[in-house]
Amino acid sequence: MSMSSSRPYMVRALYEWIVDNECTPHVLVSAYTEGTEVPQQYVNEDGLVVLNISPTAVSGLAMDNEALSFGARFGGVPTDIFVPYSAVLRIYARENGQGLVFEPEVDPSPEPPKPSKPEDSGVKRPSLKVVK
């Protein structure tokens, strides 16, 4: 019997624990995970974005079993955020870093086959030579 993901339950529990301890909950999000809607101008070069999800920073926070969603302001612009739990990599308290890190979820879809030789792909391998 397969069980549903524990990630939504853990995120909700940690969120409550962080807020109850009067700290500021933040989530580290993989912005390029399918279905994720975050302002792209705040995504770093690694494809990650940190979001403050404290009750004073967001409106309409919803944490169901599929995703967390809320409204927030970025640079004064109201923005709707949608983050599937598979995109949540960490939830932690800003003040002390305490929280939980999640392993990236594996995509169950198979990868396309890779060429076995560089010649098969039409791309030549780089070569090096010694210069004296």
Side-chain angles (χ1 to χ4, degrees), residues 4 17-18 47 55 58 65 70 76 100 113:
S4 61
W17 174 69
I18 292 167
V58 302
N65 285 343
F70 54 90
L100 189 60

Side-chain angles (χ1 to χ4, degrees), residues 31-71:
Y32 301 134
T33 299
E34 186 175 343
T36 303
E37 297 175 18
V38 295
Q40 294 301 303
Q41 65 268 32
Y42 296 98
V43 176
N44 71 15
E45 63 275 354
D46 295 325
L48 305 174
V49 63
V50 175
L51 302 172
N52 176 350
I53 58 171
S54 71
T56 57
V58 302
S59 63
L61 178 63
M63 292 189 278
D64 62 19
N65 285 343
E66 303 303 318
L68 58 99
S69 59
F70 54 90

Side-chain angles (χ1 to χ4, degrees), residues 11-132:
V11 170
R12 288 191 295 260
L14 268 287
Y15 173 84
E16 186 176 329
W17 174 69
I18 292 167
V19 171
D20 284 354
N21 282 281
E22 299 179 358
C23 291
T24 311
H26 280 65
V27 288
L28 177 66
V29 173
S30 173
Y32 301 134
T33 299
E34 186 175 343
T36 303
E37 297 175 18
V38 295
Q40 294 301 303
Q41 65 268 32
Y42 296 98
V43 176
N44 71 15
E45 63 275 354
D46 295 325
L48 305 174
V49 63
V50 175
L51 302 172
N52 176 350
I53 58 171
S54 71
T56 57
V58 302
S59 63
L61 178 63
M63 292 189 278
D64 62 19
N65 285 343
E66 303 303 318
L68 58 99
S69 59
F70 54 90
R73 291 186 168 274
F74 290 85
V77 178
T79 308
D80 290 328
I81 304 298
F82 185 84
V83 180
Y85 285 110
S86 59
V88 176
L89 302 176
R90 182 175 181 211
I91 181 167
Y92 63 97
R94 180 188 66 199
E95 292 78 2
N96 58 23
Q98 290 188 23
L100 189 60
V101 176
F102 298 101
E103 292 292 323
E105 288 191 353
V106 178
D107 182 9
S109 63
E111 287 188 32
K114 295 180 182 174
S116 59
K117 297 179 185 175
E119 297 82 40
D120 293 344
S121 67
V123 178
K124 293 185 178 184
R125 290 183 65 186
S127 61
L128 299 175
K129 63 181 178 178
V130 178
V131 178
K132 293 185 182 185

